[in-house]
Amino acid sequence: MNRPLGITVSRQIMDSQRMHPQATGELSGLLSELIVAAKIISAEVNMAGLADILGLSGKTNIQGEEVQKLDEFSNKTIIKRMARSGYICVMASEENDDIIPVMEGYEGKYTLAFDPLDGSSNIDVNVNVGTIFSIHRRVSQWRQGIDSDVLQRGREQVAAGYIIYGSSTIMVYSSGEGVHGFTLDPSVGEFFLSHPDIKMPEKSKYISVNEGNHGYWSDNMRRYMDYIREDDKPSGRPYSARYIGSLVADFHRNLITGGIFLYPRDSKDPEKPEGKLRLLYEASPLALLAEQAGGRAITDDGENILDITPTSLHQRVPLVIGSKNAVDEAEAFLKGER
Ligand code: P6P
């Protein structure tokens, strides 16, 4: 069968590198190693229904969440591969309490923060899950990286993206020159360009939020929800509700079709006053993608996610992210201006 001569993700990364004569190729190498880890995880996720890897590992992580076996496998796969890649000086993972060192003598100039398998509570019911990653340049001078190398604003990210494992495995990333999507052809083990220069539609009809939290939201958030439910066809209301409960899946849909995702502050859990999602390896990388694709990402106070300086590895942040017009509209309600 004649396969289309598609552009592989490796080719796209090299082309992007060629546009920067001063580039050393280390970022390209880092992304290439990450892609190998993604292929290994994809194969395991797709086999999960057959292997005995479904179910829980019997452990809990720093978030107090039960660690699924695939979580653990994904986390170990990325750490093992990246620790000896020679491109990074330190890592931070959703599954690890503290920063993760790299192999002595293999310290590189970048840092990697990641959620190895976000949405993992959906694994056993075959709902899409995903790996989210965020890459910065180190700020400390040499040898093993330290916390401050990872605790940097999203604005300073060198690259960010995710791999979504579902009906097909798709890698979406940006290194500051737009957002591009690549679909894995498992028969040849290559990611091929399938979504060039993704732009998030400005108009959106989907709202993605866990309405089970309605009783714990602020008055402003409740007024916003009342507004989007009103019957007003010219303004596209009522919006259609789409909530998968897997951040990567909800974000990916909105990136392609347009939409808004919200996980605002709520009073449900005194331990999590800032909402549930984490800044470093969830909100920050997706915010870079949203902005690169013409969308927006803010907190429910209207602060730009990319301008927040992290103070701790697992710090949580309220997240309102998606199509520009929809985020502008939500922001006005959340700030009490409407
Ligand atoms: P809730 C999955 O556990 C996750 O971290 C995100 O992927 C998802 O957006 C969110 O939690 C869902 O949270 O409270 O609606 O179940």
Side-chain angles (χ1 to χ4, degrees):
M1 176 174 79
N2 289 331
R3 288 187 181 288
L5 195 61
I7 296 174
T8 63
V9 65
S10 315
R11 162 78 189 283
Q12 176 88 18
I13 291 170
M14 292 311 291
D15 287 352
S16 168
Q17 178 187 314
R18 281 192 201 98
M19 287 161 64
H20 302 279
Q22 79 286 2
T24 61
E26 288 177 77
L27 178 61
S28 302
L30 194 173
L31 287 168
S32 301
E33 285 298 321
L34 205 50
I35 287 163
V36 175
K39 290 176 184 175
I40 294 168
I41 294 166
S42 175
E44 208 63 29
V45 167
N46 292 334
M47 286 293 289
L50 303 173
D52 70 344
I53 201 160
L54 286 181
L56 303 179
S57 64
K59 300 173 190 158
T60 56
N61 63 19
I62 184 173
Q63 325 294 340
E65 294 164 345
E66 289 170 333
V67 176
Q68 302 266 1
K69 288 179 182 174
L70 268 175
D71 261 349
E72 213 167 310
F73 173 84
S74 307
N75 198 40
K76 282 186 181 146
T77 300
I78 295 172
I79 292 173
K80 245 168 47 189
R81 176 154 290 276
M82 301 313 292
R84 65 185 71 217
S85 68
Y87 301 116
I88 56 175
C89 63
V90 65
M91 286 179 266
S93 166
E94 190 227 18
E95 296 296 337
N96 294 63
D97 300 1
D98 304 312
I99 53 173
I100 304 156
V102 299
M103 276 184 78
E104 289 293 321
Y106 286 78
E107 298 88 353
K109 70 180 182 185
Y110 293 108
T111 73
L112 174 67
F114 61 96
D115 186 346
L117 208 62
D118 179 78
S120 54
S121 51
N122 295 295
I123 289 170
D124 289 358
V125 293
N126 207 24
V127 165
N128 290 8
V129 292
T131 300
I132 310 173
F133 62 90
S134 168
I135 299 167
H136 282 93
R137 213 169 263 102
R138 72 179 302 167
V139 290
S140 68
Q141 293 313 307
W142 61 304
R143 287 275 186 258
Q144 287 292 340
I146 54 179
D147 281 47
S148 56
D149 287 307
V150 180
L151 297 175
Q152 296 185 60
R153 295 188 318 157
R155 187 76 58 200
E156 268 74 51
Q157 287 176 109
V158 174
Y162 58 83
I163 299 95
I164 183 168
Y165 311 103
S167 52
S168 54
T169 294
I170 298 177
M171 175 178 182
V172 174
Y173 89 97
S174 176
S175 53
E177 288 135 12
V179 179
H180 311 286
F182 302 81
T183 300
L184 180 65
D185 177 341
S187 67
V188 296
E190 266 300 345
F191 280 98
F192 289 98
L193 183 64
S194 49
H195 301 74
D197 197 20
I198 302 173
K199 289 299 172 205
M200 200 184 255
E202 288 213 353
K203 289 293 290 172
S204 77
K205 59 181 180 179
Y206 292 132
I207 178 158
S208 190
V209 66
N210 183 345
E211 297 205 45
N213 295 332
H214 191 275
Y216 303 106
W217 286 334
S218 69
D219 291 343
N220 288 344
M221 178 64 188
R222 288 191 199 139
R223 277 190 311 103
Y224 168 65
M225 293 303 289
D226 293 342
Y227 170 77
I228 58 120
R229 285 190 190 119
E230 285 167 1
D231 187 353
D232 177 89
K233 296 288 178 290
S235 64
R237 289 178 290 150
Y239 284 9
S240 290
R242 292 286 185 280
Y243 192 70
I244 302 170
S246 180
L247 176 61
V248 175
D250 281 316
F251 178 82
H252 186 70
R253 182 201 54 251
N254 289 349
L255 181 69
I256 305 298
T257 65
I260 183 169
F261 172 94
L262 303 96
Y263 210 110
R265 285 180 178 83
D266 61 52
S267 57
K268 185 175 179 181
D269 182 345
E271 298 282 306
K272 302 172 188 171
E274 296 299 305
K276 177 176 185 182
L277 301 177
R278 295 79 162 188
L279 174 60
L280 219 50
Y281 40 76
E282 288 177 340
S284 187
L286 296 186
L288 180 76
L289 297 179
E291 280 208 1
Q292 283 284 319
R296 287 188 71 201
I298 58 173
T299 67
D300 51 13
D301 291 329
E303 187 179 8
N304 189 314
I305 293 286
L306 295 177
D307 294 334
I308 301 174
T309 301
T311 51
S312 67
L313 293 183
H314 304 290
Q315 127 181 27
R316 297 178 193 272
V317 69
L319 180 62
V320 179
I321 188 169
S323 298
K324 182 183 179 318
N325 293 354
V327 175
D328 291 349
E329 181 181 71
E331 180 182 26
F333 280 93
L334 292 168
K335 290 164 79 170
E337 294 161 1
R338 284 183 69 168

